[in-house]
Amino acid sequence: MAHDFNDRVIWITGAGGALGRASAETLAAQGATVIASGRRAETLPSAARIVPLAVDITDAAAVDAAAAEIVKRFGRLDGVVTSTNLPIFGDFLKLADADWLKVIDAKLLGTVRVVRAALPHLIASGKGSVVVLSGRGGIEPSPQHLPGSSVNAALILLVRGLGTVYGPQGVRVNAVSPGPIKSPRLDALNAAGTGAPPDTALPGPGLPTDVADAVAFLLSDEARYITGSNLFVDGGGRALA
Ligand SMILES: NC(=O)c1ccc[n+]([C@@H]2O[C@H](COP(=O)([O-])OP(=O)(O)OC[C@H]3O[C@@H](n4cnc5c(N)ncnc54)[C@H](OP(=O)(O)O)[C@@H]3O)[C@@H](O)[C@H]2O)c1
C-alpha cells in the first residue's frame, strides 16, 4: 500500500543498516524527506529526498543538536524511526557488564534520547509518529542474544508507555518486531551459530522491504488509531511465550 508522506520530515537512526536503509528508501519513494542517521557517515544512504546526517545516539548532546538542526533546516519533524543495533551476542557467562552496557546504551537509551529530543517537534507537527525497531527476541528470547532480547523487551514496554502518555498530545508510538530478515546481521548471527529461531510459519527469511512496509504503515495516517502497539514482522511460527 502506498502512503502519502508528502511534506513530512522523518528522521531514521540506524539508516546505514539493512532495515533502516530499506525504510529510508520506502518512505522517500512515498514523498517523505528522510534524514538518515548513523555513526559512520560513509555508510549512510544519500539520494533524492534522503539526507545523510551522522549522529551517535549514545551522545545525548549530539542527539539534541541533531533534532534542532533538522527542524532548523527542514522546518518541522513529523516522524522518527529508531533502527539501531550492535552485534553483541554469545554465551551468557562470557558476556561482561561492558557488553550489556553497550547494548543498553545504544539501543534502549539511544531510543530514549532520540524520542526525547524529537517529542516537542512531534507534538508541534500534529501528526507525530514514532516507530521503534525491537525484535521477536523481545518476547521469545534468543539464548545467545540475551542482551539484545532483553533490550527489545524493554523497548516494547517503553513504546506502550509512551503511546499512553503522548497519545493525548497527538503523538503515536509503536514498535515493529522483526524475526529473521535477510540482512548482514542475520548472516553474522548464523555464522556465529546464534541465528534467530528458524521456525517461521511462512517461508523465510523475510526481506528488509517487508519491515520497511510495516514501518511506513505505522508512520502513516492509515494507522491513525494505532498506538502503543507491537507489530511482528517475523513470518509467524511457534507459539509466543
Ligand atoms: N535484521 C534482522 O534480521 C533483525 C531481526 C530482529 C530485529 N532486528 C532489529 O532491527 C533493527 C535494524 O536491524 P539491521 O539488520 O538493519 O541492523 P544493522 O544492519 O546492524 O544496522 C544497525 C545500524 O545501527 C547503527 N548504530 C549502531 N550504534 C549506533 C549509535 N550509537 N548511533 C547511531 N547509530 C548506531 C549502525 O551504524 P553505525 O555503526 O555506522 O553507527 C548500523 O547501521 C535493529 O534494532 C535490530 O536489532 C533486526
Side-chain angles (χ1 to χ4, degrees), residues 176-215:
V176 167
S177 288
I181 303 295
K182 199 169 166 44
S183 61
R185 176 185 180 277
L186 183 63
D187 293 343
L189 280 165
N190 286 336
T194 60
D199 56 334
T200 56
L202 303 174
L207 300 175
T209 48
D210 295 327
V211 175
D213 286 341
V215 168

Side-chain angles (χ1 to χ4, degrees), residues 35-101:
I35 318 305
S37 279
R39 289 171 302 183
R40 292 166 296 156
E42 69 277 13
T43 67
L44 298 173
S46 177
R49 295 187 179 280
I50 302 179
V51 181
L53 178 68
V55 185
D56 182 344
I57 66 167
T58 65
D59 180 343
V63 171
D64 289 346
E69 164 76 16
I70 290 167
V71 173
K72 187 174 166 200
R73 200 162 151 197
F74 299 98
R76 55 191 298 120
L77 179 57
D78 307 286
V80 166
V81 180
T82 64
S83 186
T84 46
N85 172 58
L86 287 177
I88 293 176
F89 36 78
D91 290 347
F92 175 72
L93 290 176
K94 292 185 179 153
L95 292 170
D97 284 8
D99 297 314
W100 281 83
L101 287 169

Side-chain angles (χ1 to χ4, degrees), residues 11-15 37-40 55-60 63 80-88 97-116 131-134 145 147-148 150-152 154-155 158:
W11 183 19
I12 302 183
T13 64
S37 279
R39 289 171 302 183
R40 292 166 296 156
V55 185
D56 182 344
I57 66 167
T58 65
D59 180 343
V63 171
V80 166
V81 180
T82 64
S83 186
T84 46
N85 172 58
L86 287 177
I88 293 176
D97 284 8
D99 297 314
W100 281 83
L101 287 169
K102 277 184 202 158
V103 177
I104 291 167
D105 198 19
K107 194 162 179 182
L108 177 57
L109 283 176
T111 298
V112 167
R113 293 181 190 108
V114 170
V115 175
R116 191 172 55 205
V131 175
V132 173
L133 268 289
S134 174
H145 197 32
S150 302
V151 162
N152 284 340
L155 286 172
L158 177 71

